[in-house]
Amino acid sequence: MPITTYARTAPAMHRARANCILLMALSLALLADVGRAGVGGQPAAPDTTALLNRLPPSWRDDHGEMLRLPTLMGQRIFVTMAYTSCHRICPMTMMRLDEIQRDLDTRGLTAEFLIVSYDPSNDDPAAWRRYRASHGLVRENWHFLSGTSGDTERLARRLGFEFWRDEEHVMHDFRIVALGDDGSWRGAIDSAHGDWQALL
C-alpha cells in the first residue's frame, strides 16, 4: 500500500504542534517568574492590602495575655521570628532590633516590635519572660509571642520567614519585616538589605 502524503507529514505536524505547546508553556512560566520578581530580580513583596489583617490574629504574649494583631493598626510594626534557646542568629536579630529602637527614639518616632516564636511548644510565657530578663529587653512596645504550630507556619509563610528543624534546633535566617501604620507591607531587612530607614 503506498504511503500517502498525509501519512508522511502527520508526524511532522504533530511534532510542530507539540513544540508550539511546549514553547507556550515555557513562555507562561517565564511570565510567572517575572510576576513573582520585584525590582532588580528581588522577590516581589506580598500583597500589600492590609497585610496585618491577613496574619493569624491572636497570639499569647510573655505576660500570658492574648494580643490581637489588628489592635496594632495605626502603628509602625517590625516583625521578626526567634526562639529562646537560639544562641546564634536570634541574639544578632535582637541587637538589630535594639539599634532600630534607639534610632526611632532619636527621631521621636514610635513602633511596635513583634517577636514571634519559631518553637511555640517550648516558648511559653515563662520562657519568654526569662528571655526578656536575661537580655534586658524590657520595653513595653516589644511583644514576645507564641501561637499554635499552624499559626506559626502561616505567619512565617506570609511574611517570608523560612525555617526547618534539625533535631532540637530550629534552622533559620536573619530577617525582620516592616509593616506600615496602615498594616501594609513596607519591606524586609535581611543579610542583603540592611537599610531599615527606607522602610518607614
Side-chain angles (χ1 to χ4, degrees):
M1 178 176 179
I3 299 174
T4 65
T5 302
Y6 174 77
R8 286 195 303 269
T9 59
M13 291 173 61
H14 287 305
R15 283 196 300 273
R17 179 180 294 175
N19 287 339
C20 183
I21 292 171
L22 180 60
L23 285 172
M24 289 176 64
L26 288 172
S27 298
L28 288 172
L30 287 172
L31 286 172
D33 285 341
V34 170
R36 285 191 295 266
V39 177
Q42 294 298 321
D47 182 359
T48 59
T49 306
L51 177 57
L52 182 67
N53 287 336
R54 291 185 285 112
L55 299 176
S58 298
W59 301 83
R60 190 167 300 282
D61 67 16
D62 56 297
H63 302 295
E65 299 174 356
M66 296 303 294
L67 174 67
R68 288 189 53 79
L69 299 191
T71 65
L72 301 179
M73 189 70 77
Q75 301 289 328
R76 296 180 191 87
I77 301 172
F78 291 91
V79 186
T80 195
M81 296 188 73
Y83 67 109
T84 59
S85 59
C86 179
H87 299 292
R88 187 163 156 259
I89 301 296
C90 298
M92 179 179 72
T93 303
M94 296 306 124
M95 288 177 60
R96 190 72 180 98
L97 288 177
D98 188 56
E99 290 174 2
I100 294 170
Q101 177 70 78
R102 285 187 277 111
D103 203 347
L104 286 169
D105 291 344
T106 299
R107 293 163 171 259
L109 301 175
T110 61
E112 299 294 316
F113 290 73
L114 308 182
I115 300 94
V116 179
S117 176
Y118 280 118
D119 189 20
S121 60
N122 290 310
D123 291 341
D124 61 9
W128 272 134
R129 284 196 300 275
R130 290 191 296 272
Y131 186 88
R132 255 193 194 270
S134 64
H135 290 79
L137 304 172
V138 297
R139 297 280 294 251
E140 287 299 316
N141 60 317
W142 289 47
H143 309 276
F144 291 81
L145 309 173
S146 296
T148 65
S149 295
D151 282 349
T152 300
E153 291 175 6
R154 280 188 286 275
L155 180 138
R157 188 166 54 248
R158 181 75 71 179
L159 297 182
F161 290 90
E162 296 184 3
F163 70 101
W164 62 96
R165 283 200 164 274
D166 181 12
E167 297 180 355
E168 73 274 16
H169 301 290
V170 179
M171 310 303 292
H172 64 95
D173 293 326
F174 165 71
R175 184 174 177 82
I176 300 168
V177 168
L179 303 180
D181 57 10
D182 59 353
S184 67
W185 171 272
R186 295 289 295 161
I189 305 162
D190 55 28
S191 56
H193 306 89
D195 183 13
W196 73 269
Q197 297 175 8
L199 308 181
L200 290 177

